[in-house]
Amino acid sequence: MIPTPLTGVVPPVCTPLTPDREVDVPSLRRLIDHLMEGGVHGLFVLGSTSEVAYLTDRQRRLVVDTAVRHAAGRLPVLAGVIDMTTPRVLDHVHEVTEAGADAVVATAPFYARTHPAEIAHHYRLIATACPVPVIAYDLPSGVHTKLPAEVVLDLAAEGVLTGLKDSSGDLAGFREVVMGVRNRPDLKGFSVLTGSELIVDAALAVGADGAVPGLANVDPAGYVRLDRLYRSGDRESARAEQERLCALFGMVTVGDPERMGGSSSALGAFKAALHLRGVIDCPATAEPQVPLSPEEVERVGKFLAGAGLL
Amino acid sequence: MIPTPLTGVVPPVCTPLTPDREVDVPSLRRLIDHLMEGGVHGLFVLGSTSEVAYLTDRQRRLVVDTAVRHAAGRLPVLAGVIDMTTPRVLDHVHEVTEAGADAVVATAPFYARTHPAEIAHHYRLIATACPVPVIAYDLPSGVHTKLPAEVVLDLAAEGVLTGLKDSSGDLAGFREVVMGVRNRPDLKGFSVLTGSELIVDAALAVGADGAVPGLANVDPAGYVRLDRLYRSGDRESARAEQERLCALFGMVTVGDPERMGGSSSALGAFKAALHLRGVIDCPATAEPQVPLSPEEVERVGKFLAGAGLL
Amino acid sequence: MIPTPLTGVVPPVCTPLTPDREVDVPSLRRLIDHLMEGGVHGLFVLGSTSEVAYLTDRQRRLVVDTAVRHAAGRLPVLAGVIDMTTPRVLDHVHEVTEAGADAVVATAPFYARTHPAEIAHHYRLIATACPVPVIAYDLPSGVHTKLPAEVVLDLAAEGVLTGLKDSSGDLAGFREVVMGVRNRPDLKGFSVLTGSELIVDAALAVGADGAVPGLANVDPAGYVRLDRLYRSGDRESARAEQERLCALFGMVTVGDPERMGGSSSALGAFKAALHLRGVIDCPATAEPQVPLSPEEVERVGKFLAGAGLL
Amino acid sequence: MIPTPLTGVVPPVCTPLTPDREVDVPSLRRLIDHLMEGGVHGLFVLGSTSEVAYLTDRQRRLVVDTAVRHAAGRLPVLAGVIDMTTPRVLDHVHEVTEAGADAVVATAPFYARTHPAEIAHHYRLIATACPVPVIAYDLPSGVHTKLPAEVVLDLAAEGVLTGLKDSSGDLAGFREVVMGVRNRPDLKGFSVLTGSELIVDAALAVGADGAVPGLANVDPAGYVRLDRLYRSGDRESARAEQERLCALFGMVTVGDPERMGGSSSALGAFKAALHLRGVIDCPATAEPQVPLSPEEVERVGKFLAGAGLL
């Protein structure tokens, strides 16, 4: 159901909300249309950029149902199963696969203290219970441990994992996985995806299969262009495109750090941009995130204008 | 429904599991009896020691239902509502209060990046939705932020929080809350509870109202004795009792750090001890935790024997 | 030359500077007089509160020379030998012992990545080269590792360490050392000192031999009183004295966190207080610390007044 | 005296030691010859790979004297001035510039708590006192703060900094500096150097001027080849060369993590490799690092053989 390896641009899809913080299904459908028109190669719902941490179980189910139905087989739909430990993750696995997700994306355990042996056991249990491929999600900023490259490679060799989404920002560790996959014929088809939207070109240069950039919500065509330019061998144009996107990414800092955290600022900016671009109806982020002020939204608009998107 | 302030020993109740990792209701009832026979002053279900991070929503509901029914009003039942952010926490609030919990215990948001202003907003939203008192749970080892004393005190003054369970290990910060409560007459009745089982005597000496010690599952009578000795003015005997409990606590290190993490070792030891003492039927911990080996369990037995509990 | 164990109040002596950031020797002598008049039981020069990290080797030597001569055997003088690794620490050991220090105080290696086995080797090498007792200094906020209790106890049993200054804030770990010393007859005379100025009473209650509180520069008599009250058995009065000192300690937050770090604020406040009390000539802190504004100094004055010190 | 920008490969030069841990001057000269024969573009002495944290002031001076005399103007010599805070750093600046270093390399303050405003002040004071260019060294693993890109760029614009050595591993942050330099004409000539030896090709692709790879001690010709291949436009061959070097870098893990820390293992491996290659006389690392076992050294040999270096 998903390519082996999965390549190209697979955005972590924002979850549009109504003013009273319900999932805005029509806006979500329009966002998916917007992404597909941009040429993306897959959809990743219920990731961190999707505010998965803020969505209730009912809302999560509605998101994945909506995405699977709306994608209608035109694109693979990956779904996050983000929760603290294995038993809770397995409940999410049940929900998202019942809804028709083509793959699940799972972090290591968090909140609970954990250990590499327990992380491996966690993924083995998930894979045993899960009817679709399992992709590991390395997000040290949320999970507070780093997935060791050798754990990933060993689990790949066992057939437990079929891919990695690496949002650690550690390109040297990412390369260790890429090289490990290349050097082991039994790992053929394993997908190595970067979640670092500012170095997609560099990740491709070290051998990434694809990217999962949050900013691709705002400018999917830009990331698709970057991917195509790189694959066509025009690395300098790919770099120029990446740098345009880096400048656009500056929007994540519009929020006043005295008043809000980085999530409110970054996700608030993505949603404000989608609202300004006419894709979604309401820029609200989930509670307890703090909304951007009108002036902050105005600055988002300037970033869009600077990138030629408004 | 709960005393203001709540004082004494309020153990975070372990969740006995069957060999196939279902909640073992008869064992949970026996554990509650064991704690009540030990003289404890309240029950805290669905805390970290309860393996809340590992329990599915269904299991959580079963635990709180069982505890409320079995306590039957003889003791206040506090219930953890541990999840990543406000909307998810609110779902747990609904469940545990429907089940009859007398108070809820909530951490700051985790996994998502957060900010003191967002933490305050989080607790305000919980308090607005929650029909019973809200107690803040400071657990930097799991949540990866420290609840600032002034945030706690301000929320107490607003009537949002009615207590704090401090498992940070930072007695100076704990004292700041204690002194803040004492100095502000409008905070009268606010409960300041320590979750640090090795320094309950010291916490009482700086002004704690009570303690929430995981080890009290194993030796509730010991912690109750410590509390009574301290309150009776016999501080040297309280210290001796605390030191006996510190030696007993050594059991949390029986697990081989090459094979398992700290949670597997500590919770595994508590459950092994409860099994050895005949309180629960099965010492299993939830997945993906690693079980203790027979040799490691034997060492738990020696700790029990050393403390006169076997 | 130093008592075994060392007990009572041993302030980490501030290093008064001239406006052009030279060691102000007359002010340092007056500060030592002020501490001795307050009744302290020893002097710890070249600790973190002494701005040891900011003093050149020449300045460090001048400080320890001045302190040893001025103390003139009336009080033991401990000297910090704070540097990144063993060879550099050994150079400091040579200097401070040549100057006549009665004991040296050394952290684990920092900046370089280290390991418990290397930490133990580090202390063994120091002890071999050092003609006076060696005290370990546990300061995770500066060193970024925590000294494990068992490493400390093992080195104590080997005769490598004769004491511990614990500034970790972790009273449970502190207690583990205290209990370890008490349970091993061969460790008799080992000094367990707390560096946490807000919980000296609690540290004494768990068995500390003494305290090394930075705030004792400002109010040595207060800490001496606290120590005496505790030892006389009047714990409630000791607690009241501690709480008065906790309120006074609030001065460390006067500095605007937008403009300066915690060190500039805390050390700036201590020195401003000593200047306001007439003990030292100039409140300057070393570069690149940021000076307090006149308004911030005024707030320090209010803390002094509130504590009855002005 | 140094090119603006400095480009190419500038190895952080290992400091060969005798069996009794004195600087082995003849071996240091041979190592410099080895590096120059490899084609490197500059020498960086007294960096972390040089064990600067372990060298006494006397040893540091001997190293920089030796390097400057032996390089004899054929290559620029950069010298680390690594110490906790400004006054101590200034003493090192005096020493290394008196010895003839062409530039100094300085970290932010460490051990002491610090603040971005204090970091900026630190660099301004250094630049004022220093007769040669100042390069900032971003090493969060040692210093425990990250140099913010905007602080670096602002100090560059002020003329305080003339370059950055970034050993943070954060390529996105690195790119922010690269793009900032390119976008500001007044920053022309500022050198952006990566210290991450596993992603030199990627750093060049995002716009690095050069690299400071510790592994270049072992295989200077390899890194020079990588640099030339990249600049000639043959990026695939540059990547292949980088991947060969990544495999060689595996040597840093030969040390048993039960027995030693990462520094003992990595620096021990580099020195063992230099010894096996006949460049230096003795593979000893400074105290308190733990030496590699004969078996571990044998594994270093296998890495060399695998890379065609033995």
Side-chain angles (χ1 to χ4, degrees):
Chain A
M1 290 294 270
I2 64 166
T4 51
L6 179 61
T7 59
V9 178
V10 183
V13 184
C14 283
T15 305
L17 299 177
T18 63
D20 55 354
R21 268 71 176 188
E22 275 307 321
V23 176
D24 177 351
V25 170
S27 287
L28 177 55
R29 290 196 193 112
R30 282 204 306 279
L31 173 55
I32 291 173
D33 291 339
H34 162 72
L35 297 171
M36 294 182 74
E37 285 156 17
V40 303
H41 306 86
L43 300 171
F44 171 34
V45 296
L46 304 182
S48 302
T49 302
S50 319
E51 296 176 90
V52 67
Y54 301 87
L55 300 177
T56 64
D57 287 349
R58 182 181 55 75
Q59 291 176 322
R60 289 187 182 199
R61 178 64 190 251
L62 179 54
V63 165
V64 67
D65 276 340
T66 301
V68 168
R69 282 178 203 167
H70 199 68
R74 294 174 294 168
L75 280 184
V77 176
L78 288 61
V81 288
I82 308 304
D83 217 315
M84 293 174 248
T85 66
T86 322
R88 295 184 63 80
V89 168
L90 292 180
D91 274 1
H92 296 296
V93 167
H94 178 77
E95 290 292 317
V96 302
T97 57
E98 195 177 73
D102 297 300
V104 303
V105 183
T107 69
F110 54 94
Y111 182 86
R113 288 177 292 165
T114 190
H115 182 277
E118 292 161 2
I119 294 172
H121 188 43
H122 171 72
Y123 281 118
R124 285 187 195 112
L125 291 165
I126 295 172
T128 300
C130 184
V132 298
V134 179
I135 295 172
Y137 188 177
D138 191 21
L139 183 75
S141 66
V143 173
H144 299 282
T145 55
K146 171 94 181 78
L147 273 184
E150 63 182 10
V151 168
V152 171
L153 292 167
D154 287 350
L155 292 172
E158 286 181 34
V160 166
L161 295 179
T162 64
L164 170 70
K165 183 204 165 185
D166 182 339
S167 296
S168 70
D170 172 8
L171 191 64
F174 185 83
R175 170 167 246 159
E176 192 177 345
V177 177
V178 167
M179 287 177 62
V181 170
R182 196 184 316 132
N183 293 337
R184 294 165 71 160
D186 56 324
L187 300 193
K188 199 170 152 62
F190 185 87
S191 309
V192 192
L193 308 170
T194 180
S196 299
E197 49 239 293
L198 300 173
I199 55 170
V200 171
D201 59 339
L204 290 169
V206 307
D209 295 301
V212 188
L215 184 64
N217 283 278
V218 177
D219 190 5
Y223 277 100
V224 169
R225 201 152 48 227
L226 158 55
D227 182 69
R228 286 194 189 137
L229 287 165
Y230 184 86
R231 290 178 199 276
S232 75
D234 186 356
R235 296 197 186 184
E236 280 310 309
S237 299
R239 176 163 85 156
E241 185 65 26
Q242 173 70 78
E243 291 183 353
R244 189 185 62 80
L245 292 162
C246 288
L248 180 64
F249 188 75
M251 73 170 59
V252 304
T253 65
V254 297
D256 177 1
E258 294 292 294
R259 250 178 59 237
M260 68 182 74
S263 176
S264 294
S265 179
L267 300 181
F270 289 172
K271 287 186 151 182
L274 287 168
H275 185 236
L276 289 169
R277 295 198 75 191
V279 179
I280 66 175
D281 283 340
C282 165
T285 52
E287 308 276 20
Q289 292 173 97
V290 170
L292 298 182
S293 70
E295 294 70 30
E296 290 162 347
V297 170
E298 200 179 310
R299 291 184 55 210
V300 172
K302 285 180 182 158
F303 278 101
L304 288 176
L309 295 175
L310 210 62
Chain B
M1 292 294 271
I2 64 166
T4 50
L6 180 60
T7 59
V9 178
V10 183
V13 184
C14 283
T15 306
L17 300 177
T18 64
D20 55 354
R21 267 72 176 187
E22 277 305 323
V23 176
D24 177 349
V25 170
S27 286
L28 177 54
R29 289 194 194 114
R30 282 205 304 279
L31 174 53
I32 292 172
D33 290 340
H34 162 73
L35 297 172
M36 293 181 75
E37 285 158 16
V40 304
H41 305 85
L43 300 171
F44 171 34
V45 296
L46 304 182
S48 302
T49 302
S50 320
E51 297 176 88
V52 68
Y54 302 88
L55 300 177
T56 64
D57 286 350
R58 184 181 54 75
Q59 292 175 324
R60 289 187 182 199
R61 178 65 190 251
L62 180 53
V63 165
V64 66
D65 275 340
T66 302
V68 169
R69 282 179 202 166
H70 199 67
R74 294 174 293 169
L75 281 184
V77 176
L78 289 60
V81 288
I82 309 302
D83 217 314
M84 293 173 249
T85 64
T86 322
R88 296 184 62 80
V89 169
L90 291 181
D91 275 2
H92 297 297
V93 166
H94 177 78
E95 290 292 317
V96 302
T97 56
E98 194 176 74
D102 298 299
V104 303
V105 183
T107 68
F110 54 92
Y111 182 87
R113 287 176 291 165
T114 193
H115 182 277
E118 292 161 2
I119 294 172
H121 187 44
H122 171 73
Y123 281 118
R124 285 186 195 113
L125 290 166
I126 294 171
T128 301
C130 184
V132 298
V134 179
I135 295 172
Y137 187 177
D138 191 21
L139 183 74
S141 67
V143 173
H144 299 281
T145 54
K146 172 92 181 80
L147 274 185
E150 64 183 9
V151 168
V152 171
L153 292 168
D154 287 350
L155 292 172
E158 287 181 32
V160 165
L161 295 179
T162 63
L164 169 71
K165 184 205 165 185
D166 182 339
S167 296
S168 70
D170 172 9
L171 191 64
F174 185 82
R175 170 168 247 159
E176 192 177 345
V177 177
V178 167
M179 286 176 63
V181 170
R182 196 183 317 132
N183 293 337
R184 294 163 71 159
D186 55 326
L187 301 192
K188 199 170 152 60
F190 186 86
S191 310
V192 192
L193 308 171
T194 180
S196 299
E197 50 238 295
L198 300 173
I199 53 170
V200 171
D201 58 339
L204 291 170
V206 308
D209 295 301
V212 188
L215 184 64
N217 282 278
V218 178
D219 191 5
Y223 277 100
V224 169
R225 202 153 46 228
L226 158 54
D227 181 70
R228 286 191 189 141
L229 287 165
Y230 184 86
R231 290 179 200 275
S232 75
D234 186 355
R235 296 196 185 185
E236 280 311 308
S237 299
R239 176 163 87 156
E241 186 64 29
Q242 173 70 78
E243 292 184 352
R244 190 187 60 81
L245 291 163
C246 288
L248 180 64
F249 189 75
M251 71 169 61
V252 303
T253 66
V254 297
D256 177 1
E258 295 291 294
R259 249 177 61 237
M260 69 183 74
S263 175
S264 295
S265 180
L267 299 182
F270 289 171
K271 286 185 152 181
L274 287 168
H275 185 235
L276 289 169
R277 296 198 74 191
V279 178
I280 67 175
D281 283 340
C282 166
T285 52
E287 307 276 20
Q289 291 173 97
V290 171
L292 297 182
S293 69
E295 293 72 29
E296 289 162 348
V297 171
E298 200 178 310
R299 291 183 56 210
V300 172
K302 285 180 183 158
F303 278 100
L304 288 176
L309 296 175
L310 212 61
Chain C
M1 292 293 271
I2 64 166
T4 51
L6 180 60
T7 59
V9 178
V10 183
V13 184
C14 283
T15 305
L17 299 178
T18 64
D20 55 354
R21 267 73 176 186
E22 276 305 322
V23 176
D24 177 349
V25 170
S27 286
L28 177 54
R29 289 195 194 113
R30 282 205 304 279
L31 173 55
I32 292 173
D33 291 340
H34 162 72
L35 298 171
M36 294 180 74
E37 285 157 17
V40 303
H41 305 86
L43 300 171
F44 171 34
V45 295
L46 304 181
S48 302
T49 302
S50 320
E51 296 176 90
V52 67
Y54 301 88
L55 300 177
T56 65
D57 287 350
R58 183 181 54 75
Q59 292 175 323
R60 289 187 182 199
R61 178 65 190 250
L62 180 53
V63 165
V64 67
D65 275 340
T66 302
V68 169
R69 281 179 204 167
H70 199 66
R74 294 174 292 168
L75 281 184
V77 176
L78 289 61
V81 288
I82 308 304
D83 217 316
M84 293 174 249
T85 66
T86 322
R88 297 184 61 81
V89 168
L90 291 181
D91 275 2
H92 297 296
V93 166
H94 177 77
E95 290 291 319
V96 303
T97 56
E98 195 176 72
D102 297 301
V104 303
V105 183
T107 69
F110 54 93
Y111 182 88
R113 287 177 292 165
T114 192
H115 182 277
E118 293 161 1
I119 294 172
H121 188 42
H122 170 73
Y123 281 118
R124 286 186 195 112
L125 290 165
I126 295 171
T128 301
C130 184
V132 298
V134 179
I135 295 172
Y137 188 177
D138 191 20
L139 183 74
S141 66
V143 173
H144 299 281
T145 55
K146 171 93 181 80
L147 274 185
E150 64 182 9
V151 168
V152 171
L153 291 168
D154 288 349
L155 292 172
E158 286 182 33
V160 165
L161 295 178
T162 63
L164 169 70
K165 184 206 164 184
D166 182 339
S167 297
S168 69
D170 171 9
L171 191 65
F174 184 83
R175 171 168 246 160
E176 192 178 346
V177 177
V178 167
M179 286 177 63
V181 170
R182 196 185 316 134
N183 293 337
R184 294 164 70 160
D186 55 326
L187 300 191
K188 199 170 151 62
F190 185 86
S191 309
V192 192
L193 309 170
T194 181
S196 299
E197 50 239 292
L198 300 173
I199 53 170
V200 171
D201 58 339
L204 290 169
V206 307
D209 295 301
V212 188
L215 184 64
N217 283 277
V218 177
D219 190 4
Y223 277 100
V224 169
R225 202 153 47 227
L226 158 54
D227 181 70
R228 285 193 189 139
L229 287 165
Y230 185 85
R231 291 178 199 276
S232 75
D234 185 356
R235 296 195 184 185
E236 281 310 309
S237 299
R239 175 163 87 156
E241 185 64 27
Q242 173 70 77
E243 292 184 353
R244 191 186 60 81
L245 290 162
C246 289
L248 179 64
F249 189 74
M251 71 169 61
V252 304
T253 66
V254 297
D256 177 1
E258 295 291 294
R259 251 177 60 237
M260 68 183 74
S263 175
S264 295
S265 179
L267 300 181
F270 289 172
K271 286 185 152 183
L274 287 168
H275 184 236
L276 290 168
R277 296 199 74 192
V279 179
I280 66 175
D281 283 341
C282 165
T285 53
E287 308 276 20
Q289 292 172 96
V290 170
L292 298 182
S293 70
E295 293 71 29
E296 290 163 346
V297 170
E298 201 178 310
R299 290 183 56 209
V300 172
K302 285 180 183 159
F303 278 101
L304 288 177
L309 295 175
L310 211 62
Chain D
M1 291 295 269
I2 65 165
T4 50
L6 180 60
T7 60
V9 178
V10 183
V13 185
C14 283
T15 305
L17 299 178
T18 63
D20 55 354
R21 267 72 175 188
E22 276 306 322
V23 176
D24 176 350
V25 170
S27 287
L28 177 54
R29 290 196 193 112
R30 283 204 304 279
L31 173 55
I32 291 172
D33 291 340
H34 162 72
L35 297 172
M36 293 181 75
E37 285 157 17
V40 303
H41 305 85
L43 300 171
F44 171 34
V45 296
L46 304 182
S48 302
T49 303
S50 319
E51 296 175 89
V52 67
Y54 301 88
L55 300 177
T56 64
D57 287 349
R58 183 181 54 74
Q59 292 176 323
R60 290 186 181 198
R61 178 64 190 250
L62 180 54
V63 165
V64 66
D65 275 339
T66 302
V68 168
R69 282 179 202 167
H70 199 65
R74 294 174 293 169
L75 281 184
V77 176
L78 288 61
V81 288
I82 309 304
D83 218 315
M84 292 173 248
T85 64
T86 322
R88 295 184 62 81
V89 169
L90 291 180
D91 274 2
H92 297 297
V93 166
H94 178 76
E95 290 291 317
V96 302
T97 56
E98 194 176 73
D102 298 300
V104 303
V105 183
T107 67
F110 54 92
Y111 183 86
R113 288 177 291 165
T114 191
H115 182 277
E118 292 161 1
I119 293 172
H121 188 42
H122 172 72
Y123 281 118
R124 285 187 194 112
L125 290 166
I126 294 171
T128 300
C130 184
V132 298
V134 179
I135 295 172
Y137 188 176
D138 191 21
L139 182 75
S141 67
V143 173
H144 299 281
T145 55
K146 172 95 182 77
L147 274 184
E150 62 183 10
V151 168
V152 170
L153 292 168
D154 287 350
L155 292 172
E158 286 181 32
V160 166
L161 295 178
T162 64
L164 170 70
K165 184 205 164 184
D166 182 340
S167 296
S168 70
D170 172 9
L171 191 64
F174 185 83
R175 170 167 246 159
E176 192 177 346
V177 177
V178 166
M179 287 177 63
V181 170
R182 196 186 314 134
N183 292 338
R184 293 164 71 159
D186 56 325
L187 301 193
K188 200 171 150 61
F190 186 86
S191 310
V192 192
L193 309 170
T194 179
S196 299
E197 49 239 294
L198 300 173
I199 54 169
V200 171
D201 58 340
L204 290 169
V206 306
D209 295 300
V212 188
L215 185 64
N217 283 277
V218 177
D219 191 4
Y223 277 99
V224 169
R225 203 153 46 228
L226 158 54
D227 182 69
R228 286 194 188 137
L229 287 165
Y230 184 86
R231 290 179 199 276
S232 75
D234 186 355
R235 296 195 185 186
E236 280 310 310
S237 299
R239 176 163 86 156
E241 185 64 27
Q242 173 70 78
E243 291 184 353
R244 190 186 61 80
L245 290 163
C246 288
L248 179 63
F249 189 75
M251 72 169 60
V252 304
T253 65
V254 297
D256 178 1
E258 295 291 295
R259 250 178 59 237
M260 69 184 73
S263 175
S264 294
S265 180
L267 300 181
F270 288 172
K271 287 186 151 181
L274 287 168
H275 185 235
L276 289 168
R277 296 198 74 191
V279 178
I280 67 174
D281 283 340
C282 166
T285 52
E287 308 276 19
Q289 291 172 98
V290 171
L292 297 182
S293 69
E295 294 70 29
E296 289 162 347
V297 171
E298 202 178 308
R299 291 184 55 210
V300 171
K302 285 180 182 158
F303 278 100
L304 287 176
L309 295 175
L310 211 63

